[in-house]
Amino acid sequence: TEDSGKTIIFSILITIVLFAVEKLSKPSFVELAYENSIFQQFHVVFNSSLTSAEMVKSVIIGVMTVLLVTFYSVFFFKRKEVK
């Protein structure tokens, strides 16, 4: 229905923005946030020689991402009825 069209457009826009953040020059705070995000971890995970420190960092980033997504989901879905 009308919300599914908005969701698809929003997903495409987020993909374009993340691609631009990855490829273009960026301020240091944006670069730091991207390097410590789940999106960067998709690239790191395919590195064949991860050190134990990189593995711990990846696990922490993954756990923090799940916690943040859960928190925001509870916050937003508490306000809106899910059909």
Side-chain angles (χ1 to χ4, degrees):
T1 68
E2 73 228 21
D3 284 339
S4 64
K6 292 176 187 175
T7 303
I8 291 170
I9 291 172
F10 182 72
S11 298
I12 291 171
L13 288 175
I14 291 294
T15 303
I16 292 169
V17 167
L18 290 174
F19 180 76
V21 165
E22 183 180 359
K23 299 298 179 188
L24 300 175
S25 63
K26 49 204 163 277
S28 62
F29 70 92
V30 173
E31 188 171 342
L32 179 66
Y34 181 76
E35 287 176 359
N36 293 306
S37 71
I38 193 82
F39 306 106
Q40 175 65 19
Q41 296 305 309
F42 290 128
H43 298 289
V44 171
V45 76
F46 291 110
N47 188 357
S48 61
S49 59
L50 287 175
T51 64
S52 60
E54 290 172 327
M55 281 195 263
V56 169
K57 181 180 175 183
S58 294
V59 168
I60 290 171
I61 290 172
V63 168
M64 292 301 293
T65 300
V66 168
L67 290 175
L68 285 172
V69 168
T70 302
F71 172 75
Y72 287 125
S73 297
V74 168
F75 178 75
F76 286 117
F77 287 130
K78 186 185 292 185
R79 293 183 166 191
K80 185 176 181 180
E81 180 182 333
V82 178
K83 295 180 182 179

